[in-house]
Amino acid sequence: MGVQHVAIGIDVGGTGIKGAAIDLATGERITSRHKVATPVGGVPADIAREVGAMTDAIRVEIADRVAAGDAKVAGVAGIATAAEVAALPVGVTLPGVVRNGVMRTAANIDLSWIGTDAHALLAAAVAAPCTVVNDADAAGVAEVAYGEVSGLPGVTLVLTFGTGIGSALVADGVLVPNFELGHLELDGFTSIEHHTSAKVIEREGITLAEWAGRAARYVAYLEKVINPDRFVIGGSISKASDEYLPFAGVAVPVSPARLRNNAGIIGAARLAAEALDPDSANSAP
Ligand code: BGC
């Protein structure tokens, strides 16, 4: 298997930055999950520095594992040289609209991201082929490729509840990018994420059950106006799904993201590899 079957994914959120190297044939991690807090303020230069440092740490881990004879990394990845590790594509998610590599909105990171050529900044920080994408879109891509939506026809709305609310609309396996349903004006809130993101549990000191009531109201409203065939719930809240699903008043299936809060990392890695070679994730080893 060639090196194009492995990519690094880095998921930048308003609270944390998470990353790993991913085996694109399976969507599984071949390194540990690296995590740091998002730098206070979330300005572009600080985040770019952290993304660069995390990418380097993942590269070191890959090289160490290969040197130690880790069969999984050496066998799955087929990576032998430091140059091959350094050239692995890197996908980075950002929590805002990203169009042609330029960030167009920024709700939970510094406003100076708006208009920033995120692709140029982050490609320089990682010094490798780099793809930049909205975080929820990356999660949607991962759930289509390896998770809850794999092989499913029809319309799926993936919602990620974390610091904000992200959304990815997938129709017959194809992503419609940059849906921003966390910023819907509903129930008197100019952005419904201010009332219903996972962050409000801590910020307002509400219970998970209270949060679930808000989320159910929001999802029922989305069902009414968008009519998807199913909802998939991702983001940091997805790990507690047993405690809040099903949502009252929602008729179509609502399931937790199978890749949980790792979907952003996995989808970013996949998109980075696809940008280099559209067949990278699907061709035979
Ligand atoms: C942003 C979205 C993002 C979501 C989750 C929202 O505030 O506008 O682009 O996907 O937060 O991070």
Side-chain angles (χ1 to χ4, degrees), residues 166-186:
S167 52
L169 188 78
V170 179
D172 290 332
V174 178
L175 173 79
V176 183
N178 288 317
F179 253 60
E180 284 287 326
L181 298 175
H183 296 291
L184 207 71
E185 201 170 325
L186 184 64

Side-chain angles (χ1 to χ4, degrees), residues 239-250:
K239 55 182 178 284
S241 59
D242 287 352
E243 297 165 55
Y244 60 76
L245 287 179
F247 286 143
V250 181

